Amino acid sequence: MHALLCVRGVSAVTAPELISRIQGGIAGDEDTIIVDLSPRERWERYHVPGAQNVELFRLIKDWDFKSMLRRANFALFMDFQGTERNPEFLEDFKRRYPPPLTGKTILLIDDCEFGTLEGTKNFPDGRISRSLIAATELLSEGGYDCTVAFLKDSLVKFVEDGGTLLNGDGEPVDPNLFRLQDMMM
């Protein structure tokens, strides 16, 4: 995975860089597609201006025995809903953004994990994240011939650095409340 992402030129965008790009008009830029990979319910609560939602993970939907065990496992960590992989992610993405998107940039955002392609002592090939999983799928199985970038920083850092988040109605989210909203999700 690491080799594919490096060869395809996947790059990281920091919170200050994203804020600058949004202020410069990236949200209305036809060449940049901002995709929030979060569950739809979280995207409705807050997201980066201009971001569209395509769920890589979604809230656990079923109530069969296996799903109930998964929910119980998440509850151990105070997450009473839990998430599961969206098996239709690639199809959903292709439906919304048909490949190949040549000349475009896809900017992937997910606030759950922080990935990097930069190696460290403990992670010589970098650290995986949901954004990097999505990038791998799009570039290896999706038929996309475009530039892919991912938000390296958290949305907390984005807000701390002066970024504004919007709710599903397009209204600004109170920066003091957005993390509380996420915890209640």
Side-chain angles (χ1 to χ4, degrees), residues 107-121:
L107 175 56
L108 301 170
I109 296 176
D110 183 56
D111 195 34
C112 291
E113 303 174 44
F114 315 108
T116 180
L117 293 173
E118 301 164 5
T120 65
K121 181 179 177 184

Side-chain angles (χ1 to χ4, degrees), residues 73-105:
N73 187 37
F74 277 98
L76 293 172
F77 298 97
M78 302 303 290
D79 179 348
F80 296 103
Q81 292 181 326
T83 58
E84 62 187 358
R85 187 74 155 78
N86 176 8
E88 290 91 31
F89 166 72
L90 198 54
E91 292 79 21
D92 291 347
F93 200 98
K94 285 181 174 182
R95 204 171 307 121
R96 180 169 274 172
Y97 306 108
L101 297 179
T102 305
K104 307 251 185 226
T105 297

